[in-house]
Amino acid sequence: MKESVARMRRTQYRAQKILEAAMVLFCEKGIEETSIDEIAERAGVGSATIYRYYETKAQLAIRSGIEYWKKIAGQYLNVTEIKRYSDMSGREQLECIMDALIVIFERETGFLKYLQEFEVFVRRYEIDIERLAEYEECIMSLKPRVTDALEKGLADGTLDFEWSPNEVCYSLAHTAFGVMKRFAWNGSMLELDSQVELILQVKIAIKLLIRGLAA
């Protein structure tokens, strides 16, 4: 029994090391440019070992994304634990959530690059939507917090918009993450990109989004 438990722990540890190694390389080099051999070397295992856990690089990329999303959600998006959060107005709650996105841009550039790379990878290899169900579920974990803030803002009069909270939530997320991914991916590619610091551009974009919903 003890041997079985120890073996299970070793298996879990090895799987976690593979995921961590894969995510680091995916963020640094991109999914396409990262080989299984490179992941194996970084994780300290043989290439054949990786295939015992993950049949394809696509499966590894999806699982890595799932685990990283969980980390991001737990580390930056757990806004309901902020002191007096429940006493805030709807607009203040929305500002807390959007401020968390700014922190993600500042600290998790590699992850944002991965998101952009992952979307291209999924399109290129036409990965079935069923295989992305758990990945999507992780992304959607933020949605209730945003819609709750939007609904509260409508009720307390601090927010005013003509669409449903659901429609606004999707639009906010796509716009904010679209800007963040673009800047993380391309950086200051052109001279005009360097005219205003990237983090400031993100802050301005998010502030304008919130202001557009204010009463």
Side-chain angles (χ1 to χ4, degrees):
M1 181 66 178
K2 289 183 179 179
E3 184 180 350
S4 178
V5 171
R7 186 184 299 114
M8 185 180 300
R9 287 176 178 169
R10 284 197 301 270
T11 298
Q12 291 173 343
Y13 174 78
R14 193 174 294 154
Q16 186 60 36
K17 291 292 289 182
I18 292 170
L19 285 176
E20 290 172 359
M23 198 62 202
V24 169
L25 290 169
F26 289 157
C27 289
E28 288 179 354
K29 301 183 59 177
I31 299 173
E32 287 279 19
E33 300 302 319
T34 299
S35 70
I36 292 296
D37 288 342
E38 288 174 309
I39 296 170
E41 182 179 356
R42 189 177 187 96
V45 301
S47 300
T49 299
I50 292 182
Y51 287 114
R52 285 203 294 269
Y53 291 91
Y54 309 100
E55 294 180 1
T56 63
K57 187 162 71 171
Q59 185 183 24
L60 180 54
I62 293 169
R63 176 50 56 183
S64 298
I66 289 169
E67 294 304 315
Y68 213 114
W69 263 113
K70 289 179 180 178
K71 173 193 169 184
I72 293 294
Q75 191 168 339
Y76 301 108
L77 300 175
N78 224 0
V79 292
T80 54
E81 294 184 359
I82 294 175
K83 188 176 181 181
R84 297 196 306 273
Y85 181 83
S86 60
D87 297 328
M88 294 179 181
S89 68
R91 176 174 175 170
E92 288 171 334
Q93 289 184 348
L94 183 62
E95 287 172 341
C96 281
I97 295 169
M98 301 303 278
D99 283 346
L101 299 188
I102 294 173
V103 176
I104 290 172
F105 181 80
E106 290 179 303
R107 300 180 184 176
E108 302 290 348
T109 304
F111 175 64
L112 293 169
K113 289 180 180 178
Y114 163 82
L115 293 182
Q116 184 71 23
E117 173 82 14
F118 183 72
E119 290 177 8
V120 173
F121 184 80
V122 167
R123 293 283 187 185
R124 182 172 297 162
Y125 292 96
E126 299 180 344
I127 296 174
D128 294 337
I129 192 169
E130 291 81 8
R131 297 176 63 188
L132 300 172
E134 189 176 356
Y135 180 85
E136 185 175 14
E137 186 179 331
C138 290
I139 298 174
M140 294 296 289
S141 64
L142 176 63
K143 182 175 178 290
R145 299 166 215 179
V146 178
T147 53
D148 285 349
L150 292 169
E151 288 170 359
K152 185 173 186 178
L154 285 177
D156 64 25
T158 57
L159 296 175
D160 180 34
F161 47 87
E162 60 188 281
W163 312 278
S164 72
N166 190 57
E167 291 169 331
V168 172
C169 175
Y170 281 116
S171 298
L172 278 175
H174 285 143
T175 302
F177 273 102
V179 169
M180 290 161 62
K181 286 187 296 183
R182 187 269 179 188
F183 288 157
W185 179 260
N186 290 330
S188 298
M189 186 173 63
L190 302 175
E191 176 62 29
L192 60 87
D193 293 325
S194 63
Q195 296 304 304
V196 180
E197 191 178 6
L198 295 181
I199 182 59
L200 179 57
Q201 292 187 55
V202 171
K203 289 178 179 178
I204 290 172
I206 285 178
K207 291 298 181 184
L208 289 175
L209 286 172
I210 296 173
R211 192 173 298 171
L213 299 172

